Amino acid sequence: MKFTTLLAGAMSLALTGAAFAQDDPVKVGFVYVGPIGDGGWTYQHDQGRLAVEEEFGDQVETVFQESVPEGADAERVITQMALGGADIIFTTSFGYMDPTNAVAAKFPDVKFEHATGYKREHPNVSTYDARFYEGRAVIGTIAGHMTETNKIGYIASFPIPEVIQGINSSFLHAQKVNPDVEMVVTWAYTWFDPAKEADAARAMIDQGVDVILQHTDSTAPQAAAQEANENGGRVFTFGQASDMAAFKPSPRIASIIDDWSPYYIKRVGELIDGTYEQTASWGGMPEGEVVIGEITAEVPAEVKAEAEAMIAAITDGSYHPFTGPITKQDGSVFLADGEVADDGALATMDFYVEGIEGDIPN
């Protein structure tokens, strides 16, 4: 799904040529890994699709297919979309990377946009991603302040650089405000499986975790925390990909929101006006793609102010979440004092930072 890779100099250009005729709607397709009602990742992509419809009206026609497994099914669905007349297809999960490129080779006149991947094997394939680690620095800061047991949990999906970035960013910033904090990482090996996610959350709570972060897409961890709180517990969570506002003001005390609308509107607009080019995009808070949702009153005012100051600093470029000194789990230096990680180092991140216990699975 959401593997973050943006190698320097990897952007190539391929102009589409003439703009679409005003009376010829652009057909825009979306392929989703989960249901549009997941309340998280897929829901947010579909909100982007709806934003395209609102922005361009009868200049566009959108189509989508939800709950498409990564692999052979994805290639079949993408092919059907291209055969159905789609002019541009957004494939919104990391595991769609190879199927997207395979179909793109057969349909050179169709534009393909792959979310969170890095392969652009054909001039009609672009990639796009978001700097989720920026948002995780903010919620890690809040988590470090909010834990009373000094145990925070992270429900991880797959051991790919994007997820590892999130784990490390969250822990580093929790540790900055609470040197005693520990992180429990549970690998769920799924992007969307409510039963698995709920089980992971409950197991963490049984281990004494009182703040849970997630890189999976359902609201099941929120529900598990809510259930624990109804039984006398004190567990906080953060919305993932979407606001998950139904669980405010607690257990959900803030959220990372992926706002794909600006990117989708930009790219479809460029296709309409004839300025579309092949790109590799990696936006974040400055571009409005990574947003922190409402920080609720459960969070003390001074902690909220600290989080808001970090949001402002990341947005204006004065702070980067991966700024040294940072040491790897094995004791070697990742970043010297004041050194900032470049995109290549982030895109290939395959280690835990010092202080996180356990191994990253292969």
Side-chain angles (χ1 to χ4, degrees), residues 24 35 47 52 57 70 94 123 214 242 265 328 348 352:
D24 184 15
Q47 291 299 296
V52 167
E70 298 172 332
F94 175 70
Q214 67 185 88
S242 188
I265 289 170
K328 296 182 181 181
T348 56
Y352 285 148

Side-chain angles (χ1 to χ4, degrees), residues 254-265:
S255 59
I256 298 176
I257 301 172
D258 309 337
D259 189 352
W260 300 108
S261 300
Y263 184 79
Y264 287 155
I265 289 170

Side-chain angles (χ1 to χ4, degrees), residues 259-323:
D259 189 352
W260 300 108
S261 300
Y263 184 79
Y264 287 155
I265 289 170
K266 175 177 181 288
R267 296 300 275 162
V268 173
E270 289 170 347
L271 193 58
I272 290 172
D273 66 23
T275 62
Y276 184 94
E277 299 175 348
Q278 183 185 47
T279 61
S281 174
W282 198 6
M285 285 186 174
E287 294 79 13
E289 291 183 15
V290 177
V291 178
I292 299 299
E294 179 193 356
I295 301 172
T296 72
E298 295 286 334
V299 178
E302 62 272 18
V303 176
K304 179 179 179 180
E306 185 177 349
E308 290 174 339
M310 181 175 288
I311 295 168
I314 293 172
T315 302
D316 68 22
S318 60
Y319 179 67
H320 191 293
F322 284 100
T323 301

Side-chain angles (χ1 to χ4, degrees), residues 117-169:
Y118 59 92
K119 290 184 180 179
R120 295 172 297 281
E121 296 174 346
H122 310 283
N124 58 332
V125 178
S126 293
T127 54
Y128 63 104
D129 205 347
R131 297 179 184 272
F132 307 113
Y133 65 83
E134 294 179 344
R136 298 195 190 282
V138 177
I139 66 172
T141 299
I142 297 172
H145 282 296
M146 296 299 290
T147 179
E148 290 185 347
T149 65
N150 291 328
K151 283 189 175 183
I152 63 176
Y154 200 108
I155 303 173
S157 47
F158 295 96
I160 57 177
E162 176 201 312
V163 178
I164 297 168
Q165 290 166 22
I167 294 168
N168 286 336
S169 181

Side-chain angles (χ1 to χ4, degrees), residues 2-318:
K2 297 155 272 189
F3 176 39
T4 301
T5 299
L6 192 68
L7 301 179
M11 195 174 293
S12 60
L13 304 180
L15 295 179
T16 64
F20 277 75
Q22 193 67 28
D23 59 351
D24 184 15
V26 173
K27 190 167 186 177
V28 186
F30 295 83
V31 182
Y32 301 141
V33 74
I36 60 173
D38 69 354
W41 175 261
T42 291
Y43 173 82
Q44 284 302 120
H45 282 282
D46 200 57
Q47 291 299 296
R49 178 186 67 84
L50 295 174
V52 167
E53 289 187 342
E54 183 175 354
E55 178 74 17
F56 296 108
D58 59 10
Q59 290 181 280
V60 299
E61 174 191 354
T62 72
V63 295
F64 69 89
Q65 183 67 49
E66 59 186 330
S67 300
V68 178
E70 298 172 332
D73 283 349
E75 185 166 342
R76 175 183 55 79
V77 168
I78 299 166
T79 299
Q80 288 176 340
M81 228 172 240
L83 288 171
D87 298 299
I88 183 170
I89 300 173
F90 295 92
T91 59
T92 64
S93 186
F94 175 70
Y96 297 156
M97 181 164 59
D98 289 334
T100 298
N101 280 275
V103 179
K106 302 171 187 175
F107 296 89
D109 294 331
V110 178
K111 305 304 177 188
F112 295 85
E113 296 258 349
H114 179 236
T116 71
Y118 59 92
K119 290 184 180 179
R120 295 172 297 281
E121 296 174 346
H122 310 283
N124 58 332
V125 178
S126 293
T127 54
Y128 63 104
D129 205 347
R131 297 179 184 272
F132 307 113
Y133 65 83
E134 294 179 344
R136 298 195 190 282
V138 177
I139 66 172
T141 299
I142 297 172
H145 282 296
M146 296 299 290
T147 179
E148 290 185 347
T149 65
N150 291 328
K151 283 189 175 183
I152 63 176
Y154 200 108
I155 303 173
S157 47
F158 295 96
I160 57 177
E162 176 201 312
V163 178
I164 297 168
Q165 290 166 22
I167 294 168
N168 286 336
S169 181
S170 300
F171 177 74
L172 284 169
H173 290 84
Q175 188 184 51
K176 282 184 179 181
V177 300
N178 181 354
D180 296 323
V181 77
E182 301 175 18
M183 176 174 277
V184 176
V185 179
T186 298
W187 292 97
Y189 293 99
T190 183
W191 297 113
F192 179 80
D193 187 327
K196 264 191 176 181
E197 295 171 64
D199 286 346
R202 293 189 188 105
M204 286 180 173
I205 293 167
D206 288 344
Q207 294 176 63
V209 168
D210 63 352
V211 183
I212 298 175
L213 298 79
Q214 67 185 88
H215 207 132
T216 53
D217 299 339
S218 86
T219 58
Q222 318 292 323
Q226 186 175 67
E227 178 184 278
N229 292 350
E230 289 169 352
N231 290 312
R234 177 192 178 274
V235 182
F236 296 118
T237 60
F238 298 88
Q240 156 64 15
S242 188
D243 197 40
M244 300 186 174
F247 295 91
K248 291 194 286 191
S250 179
R252 173 249 174 258
I253 53 174
S255 59
I256 298 176
I257 301 172
D258 309 337
D259 189 352
W260 300 108
S261 300
Y263 184 79
Y264 287 155
I265 289 170
K266 175 177 181 288
R267 296 300 275 162
V268 173
E270 289 170 347
L271 193 58
I272 290 172
D273 66 23
T275 62
Y276 184 94
E277 299 175 348
Q278 183 185 47
T279 61
S281 174
W282 198 6
M285 285 186 174
E287 294 79 13
E289 291 183 15
V290 177
V291 178
I292 299 299
E294 179 193 356
I295 301 172
T296 72
E298 295 286 334
V299 178
E302 62 272 18
V303 176
K304 179 179 179 180
E306 185 177 349
E308 290 174 339
M310 181 175 288
I311 295 168
I314 293 172
T315 302
D316 68 22
S318 60

